[in-house]
Amino acid sequence: MLFLYTVLVICCAIVLVAGVIEQRRHFTNLDLIPTRVLINGIRGKSSITRLCAGALRGGGLITVAKTTGTAARFIHPDATEEPVYRKFGIANVVEQIGIVRRAAAYRPHALVIECMAVMPALQEVNQTKLIRSTIGVLCNVREDHLAEMGPTLDDVARSLSRSMPHGGICVTAERDRLHILREEAAKRDCRLIAVDPETVSDAELRGFSWFTFKENVAIALAVAELLGVDRATALRGMYDAPPDPGVLSVERYRTREGMPFRFANIFAANDPESTLMNVEQLLSLGAVDRPLHVLINCRPDRVERNGQMGEIIPRLAPDSVFLIGHPTKSAHDAIPAEWRERVVDLGGDRRDAAELENEILGRLGPGASLVAIGNIHGQGELLLERLAELPTDEPQTSGELR
């Protein structure tokens, strides 16, 4: 028995020493990167990461970036990128150690990296142990991940604030809970910079070949200014930055019978506020038009979100609402009674994608727009694959999603 205890103690000691060595090596790699920008918030993190990296590249700074969203990407200083390898396809915050090591090999001026932690404690670990950012970005506080960071939006704001750098700088476009962010920044001796989206002109926004929001551009411009990159140069760099694979797309399709319609993939917006912002922007730009039809894809592990999508139906005012996935009841029950006559429930976790396509497109009229919201995984992905096989009516227009 004593022998077993001795072996256990020795093994624990070896693990402890190895952990200390690994941490010191990681901190050494961090020190090789003078500016580390950590992007946190609810919506738009991947897009802001790419915008910031583009702005800094435009200013001649050697910049490495990493996104986490729809498709995690490691972005090299020349803007080429590659998928982030994940064992068994499972995301883990520990992967940031490998990202920092790869970034440090370039001896870059800056690393722009998206926060991949949701749990408040992990967000703090991500900041204090893994990234130790010099500039933080807290883009917005929205209604998502309430089970982990909530239950209220005030709680979400405080949870996200755990990624603020102590003694550093944090940039935000949040307005409604700016007072909470100021309180949290003061606790950390962090300088909080609140940007005004209206400082970004419509002409500057039109310079993008894809849809984006003024909030995201304003944040990237503020980060660029902090690092000495002038506005015009930063904008040119952002215009050249490749968009995220999860970027909002509006496609012009024809059904298999030849009827034209538009399809907007807003699945990745997730929370109701971002979803509404996207639809309103697309309507105002004429990218989609009425008659408008809404598709909600439901997931059993996102029941709360299913309901949130149902609740916003009156504000979208669609001609019809298609429910797919499972359990559709979670979305159906949240739709106000006066709108339920417009609901077409096609739910069921084993419904064939071809059957769903026929049911949905058969109910659209010529020139209609179909907007997909909620969750992409499950039948949403299968339906997208089917739609991608349809003939196009015109070249697609793409845009950012948050």
Side-chain angles (χ1 to χ4, degrees), residues 4 50 74-75 93 114 124 159 164 190 207 268 301 322 389:
L4 293 177
R50 289 174 176 273
F74 181 87
I75 306 173
V93 293
E114 179 181 348
E124 190 161 352
S159 295
M164 288 182 176
C190 179
D301 58 339
F322 301 102
E389 298 173 359

Side-chain angles (χ1 to χ4, degrees), residues 86-366:
R86 287 170 172 165
K87 194 172 184 179
F88 306 118
I90 300 174
N92 191 308
V93 293
V94 177
E95 76 183 37
Q96 307 288 56
I97 295 174
I99 297 299
V100 170
R101 182 172 59 250
R102 293 187 64 188
Y106 283 105
R107 297 296 193 272
H109 295 104
L111 167 65
V112 184
I113 189 165
E114 179 181 348
C115 180
M116 60 185 300
V118 175
M119 299 297 294
L122 281 180
Q123 291 192 44
E124 190 161 352
V125 168
N126 188 67
Q127 162 58 23
T128 60
K129 299 295 184 182
L130 299 179
I131 306 302
R132 302 175 80 179
S133 66
T134 56
I135 299 175
V137 168
L138 205 166
C139 48
N140 48 49
V141 179
R142 302 277 174 81
E143 194 173 347
D144 198 13
H145 299 298
L146 295 181
E148 296 87 358
M149 292 189 284
T152 70
L153 282 173
D154 287 356
D155 294 323
V156 173
R158 293 188 176 91
S159 295
L160 293 171
S161 296
R162 293 194 179 203
S163 66
M164 288 182 176
H166 286 262
I169 301 171
C170 185
V171 181
T172 185
E174 174 62 25
R175 288 298 178 190
D176 294 342
R177 284 162 182 81
L178 183 59
H179 61 289
I180 295 177
L181 302 187
R182 291 192 189 282
E183 293 173 4
E184 295 296 325
K187 293 177 184 177
R188 296 165 173 80
D189 190 28
C190 179
R191 175 187 166 201
L192 186 67
I193 299 175
V195 301
D196 181 3
E198 294 309 312
T199 59
V200 179
S201 69
D202 292 338
E204 289 173 330
L205 207 62
R206 284 194 292 271
F208 290 91
S209 60
W210 34 280
F211 298 126
T212 187
F213 285 102
K214 291 184 176 181
E215 288 87 346
N216 297 352
V217 177
I219 286 173
L221 286 171
V223 171
E225 183 180 2
L226 288 170
L227 295 176
V229 181
D230 68 85
R231 187 183 188 90
T233 302
L235 281 168
R236 283 196 298 272
M238 284 190 271
Y239 294 154
D240 292 336
D244 192 71
V247 80
L248 167 66
S249 62
V250 178
E251 314 283 355
R252 293 174 180 263
Y253 287 129
R254 287 187 176 272
T255 65
R256 301 181 195 278
E257 292 73 34
M259 184 191 72
F261 72 99
R262 300 182 190 185
F263 175 72
N265 176 1
I266 312 182
F267 277 135
N270 289 333
D271 70 277
E273 184 179 349
S274 297
T275 299
L276 287 167
M277 286 176 61
N278 276 276
V279 176
E280 288 168 0
Q281 184 184 35
L282 293 179
L283 284 169
S284 66
L285 294 173
V288 298
D289 207 345
R290 297 185 185 277
L292 184 72
H293 304 264
V294 172
L295 167 74
I296 302 177
N297 182 45
C298 301
R299 285 175 56 184
D301 58 339
R302 294 290 187 272
V303 172
E304 181 182 33
R305 187 177 296 165
N306 302 339
Q308 291 172 344
M309 294 300 119
E311 290 173 357
I312 65 173
I313 288 302
R315 298 175 65 181
L316 296 173
D319 288 68
S320 60
V321 183
F322 301 102
L323 303 180
I324 66 173
H326 175 76
T328 53
K329 187 176 187 299
S330 56
H332 187 279
D333 290 351
I335 298 174
E338 60 270 25
W339 290 88
R340 290 181 189 167
E341 63 181 15
R342 306 189 185 198
V343 173
V344 181
D345 193 337
L346 302 174
D349 52 2
R350 290 183 172 81
R351 293 292 295 273
D352 182 69
E355 181 183 354
L356 292 176
E357 177 195 323
N358 293 334
E359 288 276 2
I360 294 169
L361 300 188
R363 295 173 184 267
L364 302 184

